[in-house]
Amino acid sequence: MTESALALREHPQIIELLSVLEQHSLSKQKEEVQALVGYIDGMEEKLAQMMDEMKAMRLEVEKLHNKGIRTQCAQLVGTAEEKIRQGKAMLSTARTNFVSAAGRMLGTFQEKGRAALRHAVQALRIPAVLSRMERGFSHASQAMEQCAGKLDVIRDELHQAGGHMKNAGRTLAGKEALEAQELEADKGALARLRGLFASCGKTFAQMERGAGRLAEKAGGEKSSVKTELRGLKPAPEGQRRQAASKEQAR
């Protein structure tokens, strides 16, 4: 089995790192590492499942008779697949970086001892990694919602066109036109595709919330990020003039 096929929790370097942290009573650091490992493993499994479902849905879309509808749906499926691929790439990068860092931390421990290992875990900036994932999954969730919304428009237009066609036939047959009926939300390939977009959107939202909770638990990265952003904002004009005057006075 290749390293990439291994769950992160089964990787030899991760197992050894957790063991060393436990042996030297670095329980907080061990919990942080375990939280990130568990999160990455869980999200990789969910994304793999989402991609399988989307591929199966693409095959169903390809069987649609209306070429225009088929093309539009295929484009939406492509957008959804790309968001899933982006999520997988983000997790894959985190996984690779984490395994590499685990190896370095073990080397640091062997050379410099327990205190250096504790600082090395802090240097991983686990809250920051989780916060980046949180933002990435938030964007993916919004994209899935947009796909569902666009599909709703397609389905509604198709439904209305079908109703007009039926009434045209009834008119030619000398029958009264029927009142517009509500769209049956749970029938047909388009309804199933819409349901898949909605399901993926909810899953991404859950992944987003999960990353956010872990980030806060591991060190409150949200608040620190906001503080950093405030520090990067340009000072008001008045403050800049005061600072300039002080500098000239010196």
Side-chain angles (χ1 to χ4, degrees):
M1 183 179 289
T2 63
E3 287 193 358
S4 60
L6 277 175
L8 192 54
R9 62 183 176 273
E10 297 171 351
H11 197 286
Q13 286 175 294
I14 299 300
I15 293 173
E16 185 178 356
L17 174 61
L18 290 171
S19 177
V20 169
L21 291 171
E22 182 175 5
Q23 290 169 17
H24 291 82
S25 302
L26 294 170
S27 56
K28 182 179 183 298
Q29 289 74 17
K30 179 187 174 184
E31 287 177 5
E32 290 183 4
V33 171
Q34 282 181 317
L36 182 57
V37 168
Y39 181 78
I40 290 175
D41 280 345
M43 297 311 98
E44 285 186 327
E45 291 171 5
K46 285 187 177 182
L47 287 175
Q49 180 181 350
M50 287 166 65
M51 184 60 85
D52 288 342
E53 292 172 349
M54 202 61 68
K55 288 179 178 178
M57 194 68 243
R58 178 178 284 281
L59 295 176
E60 196 166 345
V61 165
E62 289 173 356
K63 296 176 183 178
L64 293 172
H65 296 298
N66 186 307
K67 184 178 179 180
I69 298 297
R70 185 169 69 242
T71 299
Q72 292 180 73
C73 289
Q75 290 173 344
L76 291 176
V77 170
T79 298
E81 287 176 335
E82 179 58 26
K83 289 301 174 182
I84 296 172
R85 279 192 290 270
Q86 288 174 4
K88 293 178 73 174
M90 181 170 61
L91 289 174
S92 178
T93 298
R95 158 197 276 276
T96 301
N97 291 344
F98 201 23
V99 170
S100 177
R104 292 196 300 273
M105 284 188 288
L106 289 169
T108 297
F109 167 71
Q110 291 171 358
E111 292 178 9
K112 301 180 181 179
R114 180 180 183 277
L117 178 60
R118 184 179 67 249
H119 290 305
V121 174
Q122 293 172 346
L124 281 174
R125 300 189 74 238
I126 289 176
V129 173
L130 287 164
S131 290
R132 284 196 295 274
M133 291 182 184
E134 180 186 12
R135 290 191 292 271
F137 291 136
S138 175
H139 292 317
S141 176
Q142 293 170 22
M144 291 296 178
E145 290 176 4
Q146 291 171 0
C147 285
K150 290 177 180 178
L151 191 57
D152 281 339
V153 173
I154 295 172
R155 292 175 66 215
D156 188 56
E157 290 176 350
L158 191 61
H159 177 68
Q160 291 183 21
H164 292 321
M165 290 288 289
K166 286 182 180 179
N167 280 331
R170 291 180 65 85
T171 300
L172 290 173
K175 299 179 181 179
E176 290 186 13
L178 298 173
E179 291 185 7
Q181 297 179 338
E182 290 187 8
L183 180 63
E184 294 186 75
D186 60 345
K187 291 187 176 181
L190 298 189
R192 289 191 291 276
L193 178 56
R194 202 272 179 207
L196 181 55
F197 287 149
S199 174
C200 289
K202 289 179 181 178
T203 300
F204 274 127
Q206 290 169 357
M207 294 164 78
E208 172 195 353
R209 290 192 294 270
R213 285 193 297 268
L214 285 177
E216 289 181 343
K217 185 176 180 180
E221 181 64 20
K222 280 186 175 180
S223 60
S224 65
V225 169
K226 290 178 180 177
T227 302
E228 290 174 11
L229 291 175
R230 282 198 295 269
L232 293 173
K233 288 182 179 178
E237 183 64 30
Q239 292 181 14
R240 288 201 298 270
R241 283 200 296 269
Q242 288 180 353
S245 298
K246 290 180 180 179
E247 186 64 29
Q248 289 175 358
R250 289 176 186 172

